Amino acid sequence: MREKYNVTSSGYDELYRDEQFEKYMLAMRSVKLHGKVLDNGCGTGLFLEYLASTHGVDGITYYICLDLSPGMLDVARKRTASLGLAHMVEHVEADAENLPLRSESVNYTVSFTVVDLVEDKSRALKEMDRVTKLYAVVTSLKKAHKIVRELPNYGLYIGETSKDYAFIRIKQKHSRAPTVDPSS
């Protein structure tokens, strides 16, 4: 997987920008990020660009771009610098099944179409839950969506794009689910 994304990193945005932005718009209708945020499987840092273009970085104090691919992280570093956000962003090379973060060290985790790609999906979700205090937003490809049957309690369904389903995993027992407006 690492090599596949190293090879495609330079052309990734050209191929997938519109598809990714569609996911981001859906997810951000349900959650307002603030505090510390983990972008688990950040790829080229495209979500950070989306957040900057929509003022979604307001309120974020620390942002972790985590990805398995050094090639993707190189593109993400360049993007972070061009956005003027290097002061608040850390880039970490790691895999989603073994997050090198302390328990409950981030307020929010976003993970766009990552769980579909890992070997141990259950472990990846448990790792996200472990490091997240409030909510994790997770998307899954429709064509790979047997995952919901394989993993009970995958999350609260918040909608779908042309190619993905989106869910929120609620971490805090006393938190209420974010309001989702189905007409949006």
Side-chain angles (χ1 to χ4, degrees):
M1 195 58 60
R2 180 185 310 238
E3 286 310 310
K4 173 186 174 187
Y5 283 97
N6 278 339
V7 170
T8 62
S9 61
S10 62
Y12 184 87
D13 292 349
E14 185 178 335
L15 292 171
Y16 297 107
R17 176 184 292 277
D18 292 343
E19 183 181 324
Q20 292 297 93
F21 269 56
E22 188 181 7
K23 294 176 208 179
Y24 305 156
M25 286 187 283
L26 172 62
M28 293 301 96
R29 282 194 328 227
S30 300
V31 174
K32 172 105 171 94
L33 303 175
H34 65 275
K36 296 178 182 176
V37 175
L38 168 62
D39 187 345
N40 185 19
C42 69
T44 63
L46 196 55
F47 182 58
L48 190 57
E49 180 181 307
Y50 172 82
L51 290 173
S53 72
T54 62
H55 302 287
V57 293
D58 300 346
I60 296 176
T61 57
Y62 188 68
Y63 190 93
I64 302 167
C65 279
L66 184 138
D67 204 276
L68 179 64
S69 164
M72 291 292 210
L73 285 171
D74 286 344
V75 176
R77 280 185 191 92
K78 291 174 187 165
R79 173 167 279 126
T80 299
S82 73
L83 293 170
L85 297 173
H87 65 283
M88 63 180 271
V89 178
E90 180 177 359
H91 298 85
V92 177
E93 184 180 333
D95 70 85
E97 296 163 280
N98 300 289
L99 298 174
L101 303 171
R102 290 185 325 271
S103 295
E104 296 190 351
S105 59
V106 297
N107 298 85
Y108 298 91
T109 296
V110 293
S111 189
F112 297 100
T113 321
V114 171
V115 176
D116 300 326
L117 303 174
V118 299
E119 189 173 322
D120 190 339
K121 294 160 183 25
S122 180
R123 181 171 171 89
L125 289 171
K126 286 177 185 174
E127 277 291 278
M128 275 190 271
D129 289 345
R130 180 184 65 78
V131 303
T132 306
K133 286 182 192 176
L134 300 173
Y135 303 115
V137 176
V138 182
T139 67
S140 178
L141 288 169
K142 288 179 178 178
K143 67 181 182 182
H145 206 61
K146 62 182 180 186
I147 194 169
V148 171
R149 289 187 301 276
E150 294 171 5
L151 301 168
N153 303 317
Y154 189 75
L156 172 70
Y157 172 82
I158 58 171
E160 59 190 82
T161 67
S162 59
K163 294 186 178 181
D164 292 82
Y165 293 114
F167 302 87
I168 290 183
R169 296 179 63 76
I170 301 167
K171 178 64 187 285
Q172 286 190 340
K173 291 179 184 175
H174 301 293
S175 292
R176 287 188 288 158
T179 304
V180 179
D181 180 0
S183 66
S184 305

